[in-house]
Structures are given as structure tokens and as C-alpha cells.
Amino acid sequence: MINIMPQKKTGEGGLSVRKSTIALILLAGGVLLIGLMFVHAALQRQADAEEIAQLTAVVKNLELTDLCLFTEARYTRHLSQADMFSAFQDHPTALEHFPTGSIAGPPENIRRLNEKLD
Amino acid sequence: MRSWIEKQRSILDYTLASLLRRKGKNFSLLFVYMLVVFILASAMFFTSAMKREASLILQGSPEMVVQRLLMGRYDPIPLDYLKTIRNIRGVISADARLWGYYFDPTVGANYTFMVPHNQPLSLQNIIVGSGIVRSRKVGKGDIMSFRAPDGKVRSFTITGEISASSELISADLILISDTDFRNLFGLNGSYATDLVVAVRNQQELSTIARKITELLPDTRPIIRAEMVRTYDSVFDWRGGMVIVLLLMALLAFVIFASEKASGLSAEERREIGILKAIGWETSDVIAVKTYEGALVSFFSFAGGVLLAYGHIFFSAALLFAPALKGWSVLYPNFRITPFIDPYQVAILFFLTVVPYTVATIIPSWRAAIIDPDSVMRS
């Protein structure tokens, strides 16, 4: 059996704080911060709702189909409008040469179509 | 109950003293662990938020876009096709859409020229996206020139800028009038880039798309759900480069946890032997190691997740930007809305904290059940 002898740390001012107390406070702080992260996310989502609605309105007004994320090549700028064989567009066995190609895979519907054709 | 709590607190005190005795080793452990969680959480937060934001924004996209395919690539579509499509039962409207790309050799950027339907522009006037304003250092009243296919340079006056708040969808856009667009690209008046179709009943979209392909076999209809699905697959955390990133981080974590599970250092074994020799029970030794694993795991997890949240939603994924930009000259400056999923955070917790804590307990349990005398002598 362990002898229950609380370890005490005496600070400069004579206050004794157990290490476990500090750890439990830090633990509670961590849990609280994670909780606050979710609260912040929820509040930010509410605050951004109007901005997202405005973006949707611009998309509707200009009849846009894609996000302007990757502007390096035409088939990455408009991913949803890309050619059937965009990754191999230069010649039949050409490998994808734009860096975006390693992030943005071919859309699911294009892959499905290719399977039917093969 | 009170004595049980006091006992646990004493064990915790001992655990912390033991962790602080090996400060250097444990802080470096905490740092590496936090880094692994940070990478995993950043990738998860980024992909899920982008996917959700794209699906919301693209709700405003045309219900259906009809392209014409020629030799496997999309090609300008004849305006005659509009009549055929408008005659299909269930179609409310069908209109031509004019848009195209222009490569600007001055800055090496690709622009998207577009003719807005609902916002007619006068001749030789353009409205530009904020990405272009930034890269070309132009503003309202400035002149921008572009080379047409006939070799002549055509100049346009910038009459406005698209709001910077919509940069995520319009950074590279140049809005231009119908006539100027056709002159600049040399596009015949009887062709358009593609067609947008609106239908009366959303349920009939796929039926109408099928009818279009039957009546106009060289066309390819793309419905809104497919556009949204494209971004679902791009930002799917189980695909693309994200999965490579996640696998690397997970592999690092597995190596790290298995190193921990493979055994204890001679010093740690001796410590367990001494504790047993002075009267500690096996359960107390295991409790010390459980607290040790749980404390290191929890602080690494909390630190990693909070840092990832800051990284993605406060610094707009600063560390991922070079990979996302690729060769793009025009890249939108945008803030990501924090669509975070508690389910993903829970998965991350069970993928990291639980295996690490278990990996810490097993070798300690093995050392704790051996005779203290042999542990101390070994």
C-alpha cells in the first residue's frame, strides 16, 4: 500500500500548491478551450451565414459553376466542367503535370464514365 | 471515497514528479505528439470546412450546364441547340453562357472572361476580380489590354472591381460585354461556350439531361449535384494528397507509439522495481503509467487540435497554401468558415489518445508483474 502523504511544494510566498492541482487546472483549461473552440466555430458560422448567402447570390447572378481555387490550368480552374480526359489531355498516356493534380483527384462522375468506356 | 480520491491525487503527484524528472525527454515527446495531431487535425478541419462551404456556395450554380463535346474535349456549342432544348417538356429556360480563358504572359496568370447575363456592360468596359487587381496592380479607371486571335491588341477600361469578399469565387474573373467577348476571342455569333438550362421540377433534372443527350448526342449535360459532388471528392479527406498527408502523419504516430509500446528504458524498469519493493501494488504502478500516458496524450491532443483550429480558421491554412497554390499566380485570399464536425474531433481523439495510452500501459504492466528483485538486478 502507498502511504497517503500529499507532496507539497512550497512557493516563494509560502503558498503550497500540489502538482496534481496544477495538472487538474491545466486539464480543465484544456477541456474548456476545446469547448470554447466549438462555441467560437458556431458563432463564426452564424456571423458568416450572411457572407456565404452573398457568395451564393454572386454565383447565381453570374451563373458560376466552380470555386476560384486553382487557377493554374483550365481543367483545374473549372473542375466540374473539365474535359473527360483532362489529366491526360496532352497525349493518351501523359501524366498529370500540374501540382494541383496531386490534390484534386478526378471528379467521381468522370471516373465512373471512364469505367464504362474502358 | 475521499480516501480513494486522495490516493489518486497522490499517485498523480508522483506521476507528475516522475514526468518532470525526465523533462527533456517528455517535452520533446509532447512536442512530436502535438505536431502529429496538429497535422491530422489541420487536414481534417480544412477538408471538411471547404467541402461544406463549397456545397453551400454552389447551391446558386445553374441547375444544368450543357457542353458540346468534340474529339473528347468541350467545344463552342451552336446556338441552334437552344431551340431543341427549350422544346423539351419541363424546361423553363435555356440560355447561352459566354466565358473563356485568357493567359496573360505579363504576370503568367490565367484569367476567366465572362459575360454576365443579369449585369449588361457597355462596350470596352470591364469589371475585374480582386485577384487581378492585386497581381496586375490596376484599379478603377485603368486600361487593360489583351491580344485578340487576329493579333490586334484590344484595350478596355476598368469600370469596377468585384468585391474582395467574394474572392473565393471571383478572384480571376473579368466581366465583359457580349460584343467585346466575341471580338476578343474571335467567337462566331452563332456559338456560345455552353448553355444553362433551368427546369420546372428538380426531380426531372436527370430525365431532362438524358433527353438532351438523346436529342443532341454530341452534348454533355452537367447537373448541379454533379458540380457539388466534384468538390466533395476534391476535399474528401480519404482521397487525393490529403490521404497521403494523413497516412504519413499516422505512420509517424504508429512508429512513435510502437516505440513506446516495445519496452521501457532500464531506468523506468528499475523505478518500477523499487516502487514494488517498497510496497506499491501492481495496480498502483499501472495507475501511474496510465496517468502518465493520459496526461501526455491529452495535452498533446488539446494543443494539437487548438493549434490546428488557429492554423486553418485564423491564418487561412497558411502552411497548406504553397501546396494549394501550385503554379497558380492568382490565388484567392479568403477566410474559411469554421464548419467543424465534433464527430471528426472524436475520431481524432480515439485514433491518437487511446492507442498511445494503451501503448504506455502494456510494457509497464509487464515490468510490474515481474519480481522486483529481478527487475532491479537486470
Side-chain angles (χ1 to χ4, degrees):
Chain A
M1 271 299 291
I2 319 166
N3 288 327
I4 303 165
M5 286 175 64
Q7 291 191 351
K8 290 191 177 178
K9 183 182 171 185
T10 309
E12 280 175 15
L15 286 170
S16 59
V17 182
R18 281 175 70 173
K19 285 192 180 76
S20 58
T21 311
I22 300 171
L24 289 172
I25 291 171
L26 287 175
L27 211 69
V31 173
L32 186 74
L33 281 175
I34 291 180
L36 283 175
M37 177 183 87
F38 282 104
V39 173
H40 176 265
L43 292 174
Q44 192 64 51
R45 277 200 300 273
Q46 271 180 5
D48 287 354
E50 199 179 329
E51 203 175 302
I52 290 176
Q54 277 172 6
L55 283 176
T56 313
V58 175
V59 166
K60 195 168 187 169
N61 185 36
L62 297 177
E63 297 176 321
L64 302 176
T65 53
D66 289 82
L67 301 184
C68 178
L69 273 177
F70 316 117
T71 58
E72 59 191 358
R74 65 170 195 265
Y75 55 91
T76 57
R77 168 63 180 92
H78 290 93
L79 288 163
S80 73
Q81 311 292 302
D83 290 335
M84 300 286 204
F85 307 100
S86 52
F88 312 105
Q89 61 176 344
D90 290 336
H91 58 86
T93 53
L95 293 173
E96 173 56 56
H97 54 267
F98 280 103
T100 303
S102 54
I103 301 171
E108 200 61 39
N109 56 328
I110 289 180
R111 269 185 279 182
R112 273 209 303 272
L113 277 171
N114 281 342
E115 273 173 20
K116 278 184 189 169
L117 289 170
D118 289 341
Chain B
M1 186 65 188
R2 203 179 152 77
S3 68
W4 183 85
I5 292 173
E6 199 50 50
K7 180 183 169 184
Q8 298 308 312
R9 284 199 64 182
S10 301
I11 292 176
L12 192 58
D13 280 332
Y14 176 81
T15 308
L16 288 162
S18 156
L19 281 172
L20 289 173
R21 256 201 313 277
R22 293 180 291 267
K23 255 189 233 113
K25 188 192 164 205
N26 286 318
F27 276 112
S28 61
L29 192 78
L30 197 78
F31 175 74
V32 173
Y33 196 165
M34 202 184 283
L35 198 68
V36 172
V37 176
F38 168 76
I39 295 170
L40 285 168
S42 291
M44 276 187 171
F45 285 160
F46 179 76
T47 51
S48 83
M50 284 307 295
K51 198 151 76 171
R52 186 89 183 91
E53 194 154 341
S55 76
L56 284 174
I57 293 170
L58 295 178
Q59 286 310 313
S61 297
E63 285 170 5
M64 190 194 297
V65 171
V66 180
Q67 293 178 343
R68 180 188 177 217
L69 291 180
L70 184 71
M71 293 184 286
R73 296 180 177 203
Y74 60 86
D75 209 58
I77 190 164
L79 292 177
D80 301 346
Y81 285 18
L82 280 173
K83 203 178 158 195
T84 316
I85 294 173
R86 281 177 189 146
N87 284 338
I88 296 172
R89 190 194 291 261
V91 171
I92 302 175
S93 67
D95 288 296
R97 208 163 64 119
L98 288 171
W99 63 275
Y101 301 110
Y102 182 89
F103 177 71
D104 186 351
T106 328
V107 285
N110 286 314
Y111 304 146
T112 303
F113 275 84
M114 183 144 225
V115 177
H117 258 141
N118 313 317
Q119 201 178 331
L121 284 161
S122 45
L123 285 178
Q124 292 181 330
N125 285 340
I126 51 171
I127 294 175
V128 296
S130 36
I132 298 174
V133 171
R134 208 169 40 240
S135 70
R136 283 287 299 260
K137 297 181 176 61
V138 288
K140 200 173 171 182
D142 287 345
I143 308 276
M144 273 185 91
S145 302
F146 306 100
R147 190 179 288 273
D150 56 10
K152 288 181 187 159
V153 173
R154 290 176 207 275
S155 301
F156 300 92
T157 310
I158 300 172
T159 56
E161 292 166 21
I162 304 174
S163 160
S165 62
S166 62
E167 210 165 314
L168 181 58
I169 46 169
S170 63
D172 72 335
L173 279 191
I174 297 182
L175 304 180
I176 190 170
S177 72
D178 186 311
T179 317
D180 283 336
F181 181 89
R182 290 185 187 281
N183 286 338
L184 180 64
F185 288 103
L187 185 72
N188 189 312
S190 53
Y191 285 88
T193 312
D194 50 31
L195 310 176
V196 283
V197 180
V199 300
R200 190 168 293 122
N201 182 358
Q202 295 293 311
Q203 307 289 322
E204 289 179 356
L205 261 174
S206 51
T207 316
I208 291 170
R210 204 182 59 242
K211 275 186 192 163
I212 292 173
T213 44
E214 278 167 14
L215 293 167
L216 305 163
D218 60 343
T219 58
R220 174 195 173 204
I222 303 165
I223 60 174
R224 189 193 284 154
E226 283 175 323
M227 297 173 204
V228 174
R229 231 177 20 234
T230 301
Y231 286 87
D232 266 0
S233 65
V234 168
F235 293 115
D236 190 346
W237 62 276
R238 288 159 296 189
M241 201 172 104
V242 175
I243 191 71
V244 178
L245 198 72
L246 289 181
L247 283 177
M248 298 291 262
L250 271 178
L251 189 69
F253 181 73
V254 168
I255 294 170
F256 171 60
S258 64
E259 193 273 330
K260 190 82 189 166
S262 65
L264 299 171
S265 66
E267 193 195 342
E268 282 172 307
R269 287 170 71 88
R270 202 160 43 247
E271 186 184 330
I272 290 173
I274 293 168
L275 290 176
K276 293 266 327 231
I278 60 169
W280 283 48
E281 286 172 9
T282 306
S283 62
D284 299 329
V285 174
I286 290 173
V288 167
K289 289 295 164 184
T290 310
Y291 285 149
E292 193 181 304
L295 281 173
V296 171
S297 292
F298 178 77
F299 287 119
S300 309
F301 174 81
V305 165
L306 291 168
L307 283 175
Y309 186 82
H311 168 227
I312 300 300
F313 303 114
F314 289 110
S315 81
L318 188 73
L319 297 177
F320 291 168
L324 289 166
K325 278 179 187 165
W327 292 356
S328 308
V329 172
L330 294 176
Y331 186 74
N333 280 339
F334 62 99
R335 193 175 49 76
I336 307 165
T337 301
F339 289 103
I340 56 168
D341 194 351
Y343 163 74
Q344 281 189 332
V345 177
I347 286 185
L348 198 62
F349 183 84
F350 285 105
L351 269 178
T352 53
V353 174
V354 176
Y356 182 81
T357 309
V358 173
T360 321
I361 300 167
I362 295 168
S364 320
W365 171 73
R366 272 205 220 114
I369 53 170
I370 308 169
D371 177 38
D373 180 51
S374 61
V375 172
M376 282 188 284
R377 278 175 200 279
S378 64

